[in-house]
Amino acid sequence: MMRWPPFVAAILSLAFLSPEGPPVTTEGGIENAIVYGVIPPRFGSPPLQAVTRNLASLADLGITTLWLTPIFETPPGDFGYAVIDYLAVRKDYGTRADLDALVAEAHRLHLKVLLDLVPNHTSSKHPYFLDAEARGPSSPYFGFYQRDAQGSATHYFDWTHLPNLNYAEPAVAHWMTDASLSWIRTSGIDGYRVDAAWGIRERAPSFWGAWSAELRRARPDVTLIAEASARDPFYVSHGFDAAYDWTQEPGHWAWEHVFDDPKGVPERLDRALRETAAIAPAAHVLRFLDNNDTGPRFITRHGPGMARVAAAALLTLPGVPCLFTGQEVGAEYEPYGASGAVHFEQGGALRDWYKRLIALRRTRPSLRSRDWTRVASSAPTVYAYVRTAGTEKTLVVLQFDEHPVNVALDVPHQGTTLSLPGWGVAILESNGSGWRNFVQPAVW
C-alpha cells in the first residue's frame, strides 16, 4: 500500500459541515448521482454478504448508486463477463437471498443498485453455445450466435471465448429483455450498467430503443448506463441515461493520457472536456479515474498527490462521477489480477477528502450543473473554472504539480490571486464582491 506524505488536510468550512448546514440533495435523475463500482470479492467473503456489511460506509461516503460488477453464473475463475446463466447468481459470490438482502439494505440506506448486464455475448461454455457447437444447424440455438460466411461464431478482438449473440434472431432479443426484466421484478434492482453496449449498437442498433422502452414500462425510474462513448449521441437518444467518457474509439478513455505530465495537464484536460462537450451534454457523461478496465489504479500510475487533485476535478466538473472499489482509500490492485480484499480501514485521510468533496457536490447545485467556464490562469500547471447554477457561482482552482505556486486568475469582474501549495486545491464561493473559501488550499 502506497504511503501518503504528511500533510495538513484541506477542510470544508465548519458551517458547511454542521448539522444546520444545507440539506443534502439526492433526488432527481442521473445528474445527481455519485456512482460506485463494486467488485464483490474485494469487499471480503462471502462476497455479496461482505458488500452488504459495507453499505453503511458507502452511504456515509456520499455514494448514491452502486454498480455491481457481474454477479451472474460464470465459469470458475472468470471475472464475470463470460456468462453461462443470466438468471442465476454465481455460487462463489453467494445466493439469490444474499443479493436480495443486499438490495433491501441498499434501499433502506437510499442507495440504488445496478447490475452489470452482459448482452453482447455469452461464454463459449454457455449451454446454448455448447449445444449449437455440438449439433450445428440442427440446434435450436445455432442461430442465437452471429456467424461468418463459413458458419463460425464471430467475436470481437481476442475474445474467442465470448461468441457474439445474433440480435437478428428475435428469440435473442426476447431472451435478453426477459432476463433484464426478471431481476428488476424479482430482486428489485434499479437498473443496469450494460457491458459492451457499443457492440450491439454496431450489429443491431434498433435493439436498444426497444429494450430500454420495455424496462421503463416496468420501472419508469430505471437507471441505464452504456459502456460506450458518450460522444455518440445514439445511446441517450435510445434510452440510456449516460455513457462513458470515451473517445470515439471503444475502450479509449478521454482522460487516458491527460495526467501523464503535470506541466501539460491543464491543456490536455481542457481539450478532452471540450471534445466531449461539443457532442455530449455533460449530464449524460460518466466520468472516472478508475474502473474495471483501467489496469493499475490511478494512484499507482500517478501518485497520491496527483490522485488527490484529480479526485477534486472528478467531483467538481460536469458529468456523472464514478468511483471504483477502494479508490477512496488509495487501494492498489489490478481488477483482473490476483484476488484479495481491500483494506477499507486504511487511507482515512484520502477517504475524508472524497467524503468532503462528495458532500460539497451534493449540496451545491452549481457543482451538478451543466455550466462550466474555464478561467485563465497565470500558472501553466493550474486549471481553474467557474461552475454556475442560477445566482450561485463556485470557483475551482487545481494545482497539478508538487511545487507551490502563486497564481493570478482572470475571474470576470473579480480578478483574484491565490497562493497554492503543491497539489493544492481551492474551492471558493462568490459573495458578489469577492470569493470565500469552502476548501482551504491543501498543505502537503
Side-chain angles (χ1 to χ4, degrees):
M1 183 67 64
M2 183 174 292
R3 297 187 62 187
W4 286 76
F7 69 99
V8 178
I11 59 172
L12 295 170
S13 68
L14 294 178
F16 187 84
L17 288 177
S18 71
E20 292 75 30
V24 170
T25 301
T26 58
E27 297 79 10
I30 193 72
E31 67 272 13
N32 291 326
I34 308 290
V35 181
Y36 190 100
V38 172
I39 304 178
R42 297 282 177 184
F43 282 74
S45 184
L48 292 179
Q49 292 183 23
V51 173
T52 303
R53 292 193 296 268
N54 281 274
L55 289 178
S57 177
L58 292 174
D60 175 73
L61 183 63
I63 300 304
T64 69
T65 305
L66 303 179
W67 146 40
L68 303 183
T69 57
I71 63 158
F72 304 143
E73 193 63 67
T74 192
D78 190 86
F79 187 83
Y81 290 109
V83 178
I84 59 176
D85 189 342
Y86 287 93
L87 296 177
V89 173
R90 51 189 296 174
K91 297 178 181 64
D92 57 334
Y93 278 17
T95 65
R96 173 69 75 106
D98 290 333
L99 176 64
D100 291 348
L102 187 161
V103 173
E105 177 62 6
H107 288 172
R108 187 186 72 80
L109 295 167
H110 307 290
L111 299 171
K112 292 185 176 183
V113 178
L114 312 183
L115 298 187
D116 203 327
L117 185 67
V118 190
N120 177 72
H121 50 261
T122 72
S123 167
S124 58
K125 296 182 180 179
H126 192 286
Y128 290 178
F129 188 74
L130 293 176
D131 187 84
E133 289 295 283
R135 299 168 59 189
S138 64
S139 167
Y141 306 114
F142 188 81
F144 274 42
Y145 294 89
Q146 186 187 53
R147 298 183 180 277
D148 60 21
Q150 289 71 46
S152 299
T154 68
H155 59 272
Y156 287 111
F157 309 125
D158 59 351
W159 302 348
T160 54
H161 65 303
L162 302 176
N164 290 330
L165 286 168
N166 175 25
Y167 281 86
E169 170 58 62
V172 171
H174 290 308
W175 171 36
M176 206 54 59
T177 301
D178 287 346
S180 303
L181 288 168
S182 175
W183 293 99
I184 292 172
R185 290 168 173 163
T186 61
S187 293
I189 65 137
D190 303 286
Y192 292 100
R193 174 268 188 190
V194 181
D195 181 67
W198 54 269
I200 296 174
R201 187 257 195 276
E202 288 182 352
R203 304 195 309 279
S206 63
F207 172 71
W208 286 129
W211 173 83
S212 62
E214 285 295 321
L215 267 60
R216 293 194 188 280
R217 273 190 280 273
R219 178 76 182 268
D221 64 344
V222 69
T223 299
L224 304 174
I225 298 175
E227 189 202 20
S229 177
R231 297 184 186 185
D232 184 347
F234 169 90
Y235 299 97
V236 171
S237 68
H238 284 73
F240 285 95
D241 296 285
Y244 277 40
D245 191 15
W246 281 354
T247 65
Q248 283 87 348
E249 188 174 350
H252 283 270
W253 180 32
W255 291 8
E256 194 166 347
H257 300 294
V258 161
F259 305 97
D260 290 351
D261 175 9
K263 292 183 180 178
V265 169
E267 295 310 316
R268 289 193 298 271
L269 178 58
D270 192 68
R271 187 181 312 118
L273 291 169
R274 294 186 186 282
E275 287 175 354
T276 300
I279 303 171
H284 304 297
V285 179
L286 187 79
R287 293 208 158 101
F288 50 86
L289 301 178
D290 285 314
N291 66 24
N292 54 303
D293 287 323
T294 53
R297 303 296 79 187
F298 187 96
I299 195 169
T300 304
R301 288 177 281 123
H302 300 291
M306 183 69 80
R308 188 174 178 281
V309 184
L314 177 71
L315 287 159
T316 60
L317 281 165
V320 182
C322 180
L323 281 65
F324 204 74
T325 298
Q327 182 177 329
E328 76 280 15
V329 296
E332 296 186 86
Y333 63 90
E334 293 199 36
Y336 302 126
S339 60
V342 168
H343 298 289
F344 287 96
E345 70 280 3
Q346 298 181 7
L350 182 59
R351 186 187 187 280
D352 184 61
W353 178 238
Y354 269 101
K355 181 177 177 178
R356 293 167 186 272
L357 288 168
I358 291 171
L360 194 61
R361 183 183 183 92
R362 290 181 61 179
T363 52
R364 288 190 66 76
S366 58
L367 294 182
R368 301 190 307 277
S369 76
R370 302 184 184 191
D371 184 82
W372 148 74
T373 303
R374 184 179 182 182
V375 172
S377 159
S378 64
T381 56
V382 168
Y383 191 63
Y385 44 93
V386 172
R387 305 293 313 283
T388 303
T391 60
E392 180 186 282
K393 294 182 182 295
T394 305
L395 171 64
V396 181
V397 189
L398 308 173
Q399 161 63 334
F400 287 102
D401 189 77
E402 62 183 335
H403 302 293
V405 64
N406 293 319
V407 57
L409 301 171
D410 185 16
V411 184
H413 311 299
Q414 295 174 322
T416 189
T417 301
L418 291 176
S419 294
L420 289 172
W423 308 122
V425 172
I427 303 176
L428 308 96
E429 176 191 42
S430 172
N431 61 14
S433 60
W435 296 91
R436 179 174 71 90
N437 272 312
F438 269 123
V439 176
Q440 300 294 333
V443 179
W444 285 82

